[in-house]
């Protein structure tokens, strides 16, 4: 039994894990609200429309000490937990729209979400889901939209950052607990950018008022805290914000579309590669989670969808990940989650005591991984020794498919033109020897004159 | 009027005032309810440093 390190901010509920099941202990107040939410039919509607995760009351569960225990709710366990700094632009935008839609639906039934943290949303394949069931609160407990400021900091500000300056938001969110505070965004949106949609109000005016609010006397603060807005006005504000979010577009998504098609690969080579991956996938020992490293547009990711319960496709280019996300359909939309992750610099653990948000490697533990057209980028492009790369593969998953591209290959020559010094230790037989130290090579096969595929299983697996 | 309620999330003075502004005509009523001085101070009009001194001395008494 383990108390979740990241659910302490709301004192009314706490998440704990027991026997791989996810539970949430509720306080007496939270339990009463939870009952009302269930009896109103709102929860069923939100679950049926794919807004909130499936969850149900459970009895006779031992609650760890320190966790509220008036009632316990169990949630379906998701295959992968990802964080906003790992999402692409269209994912963060969809998560924002989902949060607004959940609020609008809740308000129709007399409820509202008491917070609007982006960490309350998790992607399952191409679909965002709200996982914090206890966010739902009775609207009479809220004089205004309490979570408005948090919603803007967690969703609107990072989206505006990318939409209005072109700077990807991932580096900004990758270790942030409270999104991208509008005060910081305000510093960046100068000149003509301050006239872009929504900036004057949500960014400039709010930053200005908040700057002054710090100097307010206690009585002024209490007067402001006593202000209330009718529900209709809160709904109208949410709908306005929804229209704003819908219009935000990234200048970076779509830039790589057609990239793979433009590469000088023969169709026969691509087919041979796919056949090899399919063969390895069909005999994989584990069947829970697969990881495609450097997935690009997901050309080979699809081969794993039918075999594994879930597939995660990572790439360090947010534009590519965004394009893959928007192209998901069918089984891929249910079971393939594309994330912006750099395998040689994965998201670290952060937040309180470095435990509130675990690092990528602790959250995503695949049974199987693919490394296609990746090794030469790490070795020659980034100067990482082949021995370290083999260690990285072995730590990532116990079974893998790895492609080695010879120095004579045109793609390698392109990369090595500026770093001829790095080609010296870059050799197929050296790589094979290193592989055999950690893995059994189940199968090795050339797919072209310069490319070799390896299906490997870690020796201790 | 809603009775005072302690949410774990503080809506924030700035975010609250901004919601009133965004709410248009409905929000104006609430804005007027707030003492005009507070608003003036919040958006930084008028002689702020003098007001701060006044507020500080009031609090001290």
């Amino acid at each position: 039994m383990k108390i979740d390190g990241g659910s302490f901010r709301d004192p009314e509920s706490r998440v704990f894990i027991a026997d791989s099941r996810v539970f949430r202990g509720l306080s007496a107040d939270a339990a009463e609200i939870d009952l009302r939410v269930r009896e109103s039919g709102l929860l069923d509607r939100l679950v049926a429309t794919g807004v909130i995760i499936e969850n149900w009351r459970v009895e006779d569960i031992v609650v760890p000490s320190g966790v509220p225990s008036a009632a316990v709710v169990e949630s379906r366990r998701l295959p992968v937990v990802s964080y906003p700094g790992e999402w692409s632009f269209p994912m963060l935008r969809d998560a924002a729209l989902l949060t607004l839609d959940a609020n609008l639906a809740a308000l129709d039934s007399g409820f509202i979400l008491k917070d609007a943290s982006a960490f309350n949303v998790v992607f399952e394949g191409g679909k965002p889901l709200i996982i914090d069931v206890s966010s739902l609160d009775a609207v009479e407990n809220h004089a205004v939209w309490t979570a408005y400021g948090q919603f803007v900091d967690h969703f609107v500000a990072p989206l505006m950052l990318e939409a209005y300056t072109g700077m990807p938001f991932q580096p900004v969110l990758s270790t942030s607990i409270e999104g991208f505070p509008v005060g910081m965004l305000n510093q960046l949106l100068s000149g003509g950018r301050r006239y872009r949609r929504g900036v004057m109000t949500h960014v400039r005016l709010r930053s200005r008022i908040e700057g002054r609010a710090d100097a307010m006397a206690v009585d002024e603060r209490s007067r402001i805290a006593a202000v209330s807005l009718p529900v209709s006005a809160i709904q109208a504000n949410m709908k306005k914000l929804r229209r704003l979010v819908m219009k935000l577009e990234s200048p970076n998504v779509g830039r790589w579309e057609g990239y793979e098609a433009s590469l000088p690969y023969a169709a026969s080579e691509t087919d041979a590669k796919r056949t090899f991956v399919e063969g390895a996938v069909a005999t994989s020992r584990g069947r829970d989670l697969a990881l495609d490293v450097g997935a690009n547009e997901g050309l080979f990711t699809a081969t794993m969808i039918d075999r594994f319960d879930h597939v995660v496709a990572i790439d360090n280019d947010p534009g590519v990940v965004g394009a893959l996300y928007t192209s998901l359909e069918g089984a891929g939309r249910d079971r393939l989650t594309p994330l912006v992750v750099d395998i040689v610099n994965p998201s670290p653990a952060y937040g309180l005591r470095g435990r509130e948000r675990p690092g990528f490697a602790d959250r995503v533990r695949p049974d199987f991984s693919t490394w296609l057209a990746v090794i030469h980028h790490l070795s020659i492009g980034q100067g990482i020794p082949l021995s370290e790369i083999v260690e990285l593969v072995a730590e990532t998953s116990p079974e893998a498919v790895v492609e080695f591209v010879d120095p004579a290959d045109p793609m390698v020559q392109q990369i090595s033109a500026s770093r001829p010094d790095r080609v010296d230790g870059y050799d197929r037989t050296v790589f094979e020897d290193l592989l055999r130290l950690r893995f059994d090579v189940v199968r090795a096969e050339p797919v072209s004159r310069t490319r070799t595929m390896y299906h490997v299983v870690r020796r201790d697996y | 009027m809603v009775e005072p309620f302690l949410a774990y999330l503080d809506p924030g003075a700035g975010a609250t005032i901004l919601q009133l502004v965004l709410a248009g005509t409905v929000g104006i009523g609430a804005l007027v309810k707030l003492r005009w001085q507070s608003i003036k101070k919040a958006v930084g009009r008028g002689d702020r440093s003098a007001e701060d001194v006044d507020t500080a001395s009031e609090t001290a008494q």
Side-chain angles (χ1 to χ4, degrees):
Chain A
M1 201 180 293
K2 187 173 145 270
I3 301 177
D4 180 73
S7 63
F8 59 84
R9 288 182 196 261
D10 180 359
E12 304 291 327
S13 89
R14 192 82 201 253
V15 173
F16 62 98
I17 313 285
D19 299 330
S20 300
R21 291 160 70 188
V22 184
F23 300 100
R24 190 178 279 275
L26 303 180
S27 71
D29 286 347
E32 190 205 315
I33 300 279
D34 180 73
L35 193 64
R36 279 173 58 188
V37 171
R38 284 169 203 280
E39 285 175 347
S40 70
L42 171 65
L43 197 63
D44 284 343
R45 282 197 294 283
L46 291 176
V47 170
T49 48
V51 171
I52 204 159
I53 188 142
E54 296 91 323
N55 66 94
W56 51 91
R57 284 285 189 103
V58 286
E59 312 287 335
D60 306 325
I61 290 290
V62 182
V63 176
S65 74
V67 170
S69 58
V72 178
V73 170
E74 179 173 7
S75 289
R76 178 168 69 84
R77 194 183 176 120
L78 287 167
V80 186
V81 173
S82 59
Y83 295 146
E86 296 163 346
W87 301 343
S88 59
F89 188 95
M91 293 169 85
L92 185 63
R93 190 178 50 198
D94 282 354
L97 295 173
L98 180 84
T99 303
L100 289 172
D101 290 342
N103 271 291
L104 288 166
L107 282 172
D108 285 339
S109 304
F111 298 91
I112 191 167
L113 297 185
K114 63 180 164 187
D115 51 13
S117 166
F119 290 98
N120 285 352
V121 181
V122 161
F123 276 83
E124 182 176 36
K127 290 179 285 192
L129 266 177
I130 291 174
I131 53 168
D132 187 358
V133 184
S134 61
S135 275
L136 286 163
D137 198 4
V139 73
E140 66 263 23
N141 287 338
H142 298 262
V144 292
W145 180 15
T146 307
Y148 159 77
Q150 191 180 39
F151 178 79
V152 173
D153 289 352
H154 279 237
F155 294 102
V156 184
L159 289 170
M160 280 184 173
L161 170 72
E162 183 158 338
Y164 297 162
T165 74
M167 182 189 155
F169 62 74
Q170 289 82 10
V172 171
L173 294 189
S174 65
T175 56
S176 171
I177 292 293
E178 285 302 347
F180 187 38
V182 288
M184 289 191 199
L185 177 62
N186 189 33
Q187 308 284 323
L188 295 173
L189 298 180
S190 54
R193 286 170 180 160
R194 70 177 70 156
Y195 303 106
R196 301 294 296 270
R197 188 183 285 270
V199 175
M200 270 298 174
T201 46
H202 299 289
V203 182
R204 284 185 71 79
L205 186 57
R206 186 172 145 220
S207 302
R208 198 182 167 100
I209 297 172
E210 277 181 359
R212 305 287 177 179
D214 289 342
M216 274 182 197
V218 175
D219 64 322
E220 277 176 288
R221 281 173 179 277
S222 0
R223 267 201 306 279
I224 293 171
V227 157
S228 70
L229 267 179
V231 169
S232 59
I234 295 177
Q235 278 169 320
N237 278 348
M238 284 176 181
K239 284 178 185 164
K240 266 188 270 184
L241 207 43
R242 196 182 194 287
R243 285 195 291 276
L244 167 65
V245 171
M246 288 274 286
K247 290 205 167 76
L248 293 172
E249 293 289 346
S250 168
N252 306 323
V253 173
R255 200 156 47 99
W256 288 83
E257 261 171 73
Y259 169 76
E260 281 182 336
S262 74
L263 294 177
Y265 299 139
S268 60
E269 181 185 327
T270 307
D271 287 345
K273 224 165 131 171
R274 182 176 287 116
T275 307
F276 188 93
V277 177
E278 279 168 358
V281 164
T283 59
S284 73
R285 289 201 206 171
R287 301 196 59 168
D288 294 337
L289 184 66
L291 175 71
D292 186 349
V293 178
N296 206 289
E297 283 173 53
L299 196 57
F300 297 99
T301 320
T303 58
M304 298 191 278
I305 292 173
D306 292 333
R307 176 78 180 174
F308 294 92
D309 289 346
H310 207 85
V311 182
V312 173
I314 60 170
D315 203 288
N316 62 359
D317 187 294
V320 163
V321 175
L324 176 56
Y325 170 76
T326 45
S327 73
L328 290 174
E329 51 187 30
R333 193 152 179 271
D334 294 331
R335 302 209 304 276
L336 196 170
T337 305
L339 297 175
V340 184
V341 174
D342 182 351
I343 194 64
V344 297
N345 184 21
S347 334
Y350 56 105
L352 183 71
R353 293 154 80 205
R355 284 179 218 155
E356 192 176 347
R357 304 292 163 200
F360 178 77
D362 283 328
R363 279 177 284 123
V364 178
R365 297 180 160 281
D367 303 299
F368 188 93
S369 61
T370 57
W371 306 68
L372 308 177
V374 169
I375 308 299
H376 58 290
H377 284 286
L378 306 188
S379 174
I380 298 172
Q382 305 206 33
I384 301 169
L386 286 177
S387 57
E388 289 286 335
I389 295 171
V390 169
E391 208 47 47
L392 171 65
V393 175
E395 268 177 30
T396 303
S397 69
E399 187 170 7
V401 167
V402 184
E403 179 185 23
F404 189 88
V405 187
D406 287 344
D409 187 273
M411 297 305 284
V412 177
Q413 294 202 323
Q414 209 173 56
I415 303 174
S416 60
S418 53
R419 296 306 305 250
D421 55 311
R422 286 181 178 167
V423 184
D424 279 351
Y426 184 77
D427 180 88
R428 181 152 52 88
T429 50
V430 172
F431 181 70
E432 273 182 28
D433 289 345
L434 288 165
L435 265 185
R436 285 179 210 281
L437 285 176
R438 292 290 265 131
F439 295 95
D440 288 323
V441 178
V442 178
R443 200 164 143 234
E445 193 181 293
V447 287
S448 78
R449 204 170 45 78
T450 53
R451 295 176 172 244
T452 312
M453 305 283 284
Y454 300 89
H455 175 196
V456 294
V457 174
R458 212 168 56 205
R459 288 184 180 275
D460 60 359
Y461 190 34
Chain B
M1 182 66 69
V2 175
E3 56 184 87
F5 157 77
L6 294 175
Y8 87 95
L9 197 65
D10 174 12
T16 301
I17 293 177
L18 190 64
Q19 284 183 63
L20 302 182
V21 175
L22 292 176
T25 46
V26 184
I28 286 170
L31 275 170
V32 170
K33 272 195 208 159
L34 288 172
R35 211 177 57 178
W36 176 238
Q37 282 292 58
S38 312
I39 305 302
K40 233 165 68 169
K41 196 167 180 175
V43 296
R45 301 277 179 248
D47 187 356
R48 190 169 154 261
S49 56
E51 279 173 20
D52 282 353
V53 171
D54 289 345
T55 317
S57 56
E58 275 168 30
T59 320
Q61 289 157 13

